[in-house]
Amino acid sequence: MSAGATTEPTAHDTSTPPVAGHGPRTGFWALALGSVGVVYGDIGTSPLYALKESLHAASGGHAPTREMVFGVVSLILWALILIVTLKYVLIVMRADNDGEGGTPSLVALAQRALGRSGGFVIVLGMIGVSLFYGDAIITPAISVLSAIEGLKLVTPALDPYVLPLSIAIIVGLFAVQNHGTAKVAFVFGPLTALWFIVMALGGLGHLLDDLSIVAAFNPTHGIAFLLSHGTAGLLALGAVFLAVTGAEALYADMGHFGRQPIRAAWFGLVLPALALNYLGQGAMLLAHPERIENPFFLLYPSWALLPMVLLATVATVIASQAVITGTFSITQQAMQLGLLPRMRVLRTSETEKGQIYIPRVNWWLLTAVVFLAVLFKSSSSLAAAYGIAVTGDMVITACLVFVVAWRFWRWPAAVAALVLAPFLLVEFVFLSANALKILHGGWVPLTIGAALVTAMWTWRRGSALIARHIHEHRVPLADFTHMAETGSVLRAPGTAVFLTGSPDDAPGALMHNVKHNHVLHERNLILTVVTEEVPKVSGAGRVTVERLSDAFTGVTVRFGFTELPDLPRALANAGMDEDGLSYFLSRRVLVASPTTGMPVWQDRLYIAMALAATDASRFFRIPAERAVEIGARIDI
């Protein structure tokens, strides 16, 4: 038998830190500039490898033909127009959950629209979050490697140092996460804006190499390329998708900067810079196809190579930082939705939004990123693993947006399908193209995703079994309070707080306290933590109080799915004496059982996750000296 421990509250009592909005004085253009660094860092580093890898896939490593260059550049431009501009910037960003975006936020919005019939939405959310993790692991590895590989153009003698230097940068990046990024975040926007300007200038400087490249805006070039190149065309299409990796960040970071500043940055700087750079690379390759080895860095004169490598490294570090920060946020939201166990969350800034740090996630990510860098050794090898996670995540987003458009926006189902079906079709084509690379690296995000979906499904299922066990052995709170108040139980001075996942049932800690200690406090708060399907809960709706009897009071504390739970503060703000409260929690010892609804292997996985979870007192910011835990055994 395996045994572990978990504490009340149960499945739905996790919560997340606030992603506080910018202050009211933050100007529109300041927000737009900030979004350039945080939102567009990932997609802004795609020109380092997207066109190169697409043409390598099309030509088999040989010099590309004119038809290939026109076709691939056309596909990249239209991917940016259709997927990023039309789908994300103009449609998906309308699906804001009280100003917040991202897969968990979209799941909460869809669940609110569907009610109890929305169970499949949670499954889609699990898959989407799992694929996001796959993307988050690959992004730092491929971005940093692609930037440092530019050193080989400065001098081939530096080739042996590319991988060690990349790993050193990656390790250094993760090592400073506990300090937060508040002190350097203000430079992210200007540095990334400089990166986009330099990219635009590099592409513009080579347009005259062959100005006919502007014809790539005609989509027939991309279609003709796909129709005439068979499997090679599909392989190239899979690599073309590298140009839009990071598009999910437009939606995920909407709560940080707002819809309009993100849109302004896209149309005013990011899209023109990306288009000019890809066109410039294409024009240069039409005139000099032998430069396919690294067309991005070869846009610049030899004297500028080293500065460009340094600037590219800074850009990839910023892009990686945005992904890491996003992973912390997504993890917190997944915990709030009951998809993951509680983990320790630290605030690294009391004033900057999104400034949180999850130690366990940070070191897991670092281990996985370094492992991938060592395993694949180059950005070209990693490129095969990249696209499938992003395309899968985008398909999930399109499905969830359809639900929101149909049931929340009240669009007719036919209209919602007509609007979103073209994007789904395009993304399914990209997904099929990336599926061809499963054996060449695509298995990595799929394996990560499968493992995470299994873990999340196990956590939800195990938590539901425990909730059912508690309900089956419950004592109605009304009956218990009557027996306790009319019996000969000693009264202790002070106020006791008993956390529970079900406000209608007597908490286990309360029953055990009376049964074994034969004592009842003068005042008893039966406290339930509720996760709302909104990002934040206003002050007036945070705490509700219901007097049950002379000795018992029911208290419900509500948090949004982007809020960091602090029970003592919430109760103090509601007028309760914070220093006079003692908290009682149930600590459950879990034992695997073959007869309780899950296979034993899944029982053991759940128990292992429960053992690793942060205990409720620490998670809810309850002072250790005022927390009392009472144990109970449960078979699962």
Side-chain angles (χ1 to χ4, degrees):
M1 297 266 194
S2 298
T6 185
T7 53
E8 286 185 324
T10 52
H12 298 290
D13 297 324
T14 54
S15 194
T16 55
V19 183
H22 285 272
R25 296 183 181 179
T26 304
F28 177 89
W29 293 110
L31 289 173
L33 181 61
S35 74
V36 172
V38 175
V39 176
Y40 295 112
D42 191 359
I43 200 170
T45 57
S46 295
L48 285 165
Y49 46 80
L51 183 63
K52 176 184 72 172
E53 297 304 329
S54 301
L55 290 173
H56 270 303
S59 64
H62 302 293
T65 64
R66 289 181 65 85
E67 182 185 4
M68 289 178 184
V69 174
F70 273 102
V72 168
V73 173
S74 179
L75 289 171
I76 287 176
L77 293 175
W78 278 96
L80 292 171
I81 293 169
L82 290 175
I83 294 176
V84 184
T85 306
L86 294 181
K87 179 187 173 183
Y88 280 93
V89 174
L90 298 180
I91 296 178
V92 174
M93 289 183 69
R94 293 188 66 232
D96 66 292
N97 191 340
D98 289 347
E100 296 293 332
T103 299
S105 181
L106 190 57
V107 167
L109 198 63
Q111 273 194 301
R112 197 192 313 172
L114 291 173
R116 293 186 177 181
S117 62
F120 75 95
V121 167
I122 286 292
V123 177
L124 290 178
M126 289 181 188
I127 299 172
V129 169
S130 299
L131 291 173
F132 177 87
Y133 278 108
D135 180 17
I137 290 169
I138 299 172
T139 293
I142 192 173
S143 298
V144 174
L145 277 169
S146 62
I148 302 302
E149 283 168 355
L151 290 174
K152 294 188 291 186
L153 299 177
V154 177
T155 170
L158 294 175
D159 190 5
Y161 302 100
V162 168
L163 182 59
L165 184 57
S166 299
I167 292 175
I169 291 173
I170 291 168
V171 171
L173 174 63
F174 280 93
V176 300
Q177 291 302 310
N178 62 318
H179 298 292
T181 56
K183 295 181 180 179
V184 296
F186 72 95
V187 303
F188 280 10
L191 282 175
T192 310
L194 174 63
W195 168 251
F196 280 110
I197 291 169
V198 171
M199 279 202 302
L201 293 175
L204 191 62
H206 281 273
L207 272 182
L208 292 180
D209 288 0
D210 196 324
L211 196 56
S212 65
I213 191 64
V214 296
F217 277 109
N218 185 341
T220 59
H221 285 288
I223 296 170
F225 167 75
L226 291 177
L227 294 177
S228 62
H229 283 76
T231 303
L234 280 177
L235 289 171
L237 186 64
V240 162
F241 207 80
L242 297 171
V244 296
T245 57
E248 285 283 325
L250 276 77
Y251 181 52
D253 288 309
M254 184 167 61
H256 292 193
F257 301 97
R259 181 189 304 138
Q260 295 307 325
I262 291 175
R263 284 177 173 172
W266 174 253
F267 288 112
L269 174 63
V270 178
L271 179 59
L274 291 173
L276 282 172
N277 190 268
Y278 285 121
L279 288 169
Q281 288 189 52
M284 182 185 69
L285 290 174
L286 289 176
H288 306 282
E290 71 280 358
R291 296 187 180 181
I292 187 60
E293 176 192 359
N294 203 321
F296 178 85
F297 283 110
L298 291 175
L299 286 174
Y300 303 93
S302 57
W303 60 265
L305 280 178
L306 189 56
M308 280 305 301
V309 170
L310 295 175
L311 183 58
T313 302
V314 171
T316 56
V317 167
I318 292 173
S320 300
Q321 176 61 61
V323 169
I324 295 167
T325 302
T327 304
F328 294 156
S329 179
I330 290 291
T331 300
Q332 286 301 298
Q333 294 185 30
M335 287 192 291
Q336 182 71 346
L337 289 172
L339 300 179
L340 291 172
R342 291 184 294 258
M343 284 180 266
R344 188 184 181 202
V345 181
L346 301 177
R347 245 188 220 286
T348 57
S349 172
E350 289 297 327
T351 58
E352 295 292 327
K353 62 189 178 70
Q355 295 297 315
I356 61 170
Y357 171 64
I358 308 177
R360 191 173 298 163
V361 172
N362 187 66
W363 301 119
W364 283 348
L365 273 180
L366 171 60
T367 302
V369 171
V370 171
F371 174 76
L372 286 187
V374 173
L375 180 65
F376 287 92
K377 295 182 173 60
S378 70
S379 61
S380 294
S381 299
L382 264 172
Y386 203 9
I388 198 163
V390 182
T391 49
D393 203 13
M394 289 184 174
V395 168
I396 296 296
T397 296
C399 294
L400 291 172
V401 170
F402 169 78
V403 173
V404 171
W406 172 36
R407 299 298 294 271
F408 196 78
W409 298 342
R410 303 296 181 185
W411 289 9
V415 173
L418 188 64
V419 170
L420 292 166
F423 302 111
L424 268 173
L425 178 62
V426 170
E427 287 164 358
F428 269 119
V429 172
F430 276 116
L431 188 61
S432 301
N434 278 290
L436 297 175
K437 301 185 291 184
I438 288 177
L439 296 178
H440 303 283
W443 59 269
V444 172
L446 292 180
T447 302
I448 294 168
L452 286 169
V453 167
T454 300
M456 287 188 281
W457 179 254
T458 297
W459 184 254
R460 279 187 65 86
R461 193 177 177 191
S463 299
L465 286 174
I466 289 178
R468 188 177 71 185
H469 173 91
I470 294 171
H471 182 73
E472 290 173 348
H473 296 82
R474 72 187 180 98
V475 174
L477 181 60
D479 294 346
F480 183 87
T481 56
H482 176 74
M483 289 186 295
E485 290 185 321
T486 58
S488 57
V489 180
L490 294 177
R491 293 300 182 96
T495 302
V497 180
F498 295 92
L499 273 69
T500 178
S502 175
D504 296 324
D505 301 333
L510 172 60
M511 292 191 297
H512 288 293
N513 190 43
V514 173
K515 178 180 178 181
H516 297 291
N517 297 328
H518 307 290
V519 65
L520 184 69
H521 281 72
E522 292 176 344
R523 294 173 299 280
N524 301 273
L525 305 183
I526 309 303
L527 191 150
T528 306
V529 178
V530 175
T531 296
E532 300 291 351
E533 292 176 348
V534 295
K536 306 175 188 69
V537 175
S538 64
R542 172 80 67 198
V543 179
T544 56
V545 178
E546 178 186 3
R547 188 172 182 81
L548 304 175
S549 68
D550 291 339
F552 289 89
T553 302
V555 179
T556 301
V557 181
R558 295 176 173 84
F559 294 103
F561 61 80
T562 63
E563 292 188 278
L564 182 65
D566 189 329
L567 286 181
R569 178 179 294 180
L571 294 176
N573 290 341
M576 301 181 191
D577 182 10
E578 181 181 351
D579 294 329
L581 303 179
S582 299
Y583 295 82
F584 289 78
L585 305 94
S586 292
R587 174 166 289 274
R588 304 188 184 105
V589 176
L590 306 178
V591 178
S593 170
T595 61
T596 54
M598 290 197 303
V600 173
W601 70 265
Q602 206 167 20
D603 287 340
R604 290 174 176 166
L605 175 59
Y606 180 84
I607 291 169
M609 295 172 71
L611 280 170
T614 298
D615 61 75
S617 59
R618 173 179 286 188
F619 188 81
F620 290 110
R621 301 298 193 268
I622 298 171
E625 65 275 9
R626 288 196 276 125
V628 179
E629 294 184 339
I630 300 175
R633 168 179 165 143
I634 295 180
D635 293 336
I636 64 168

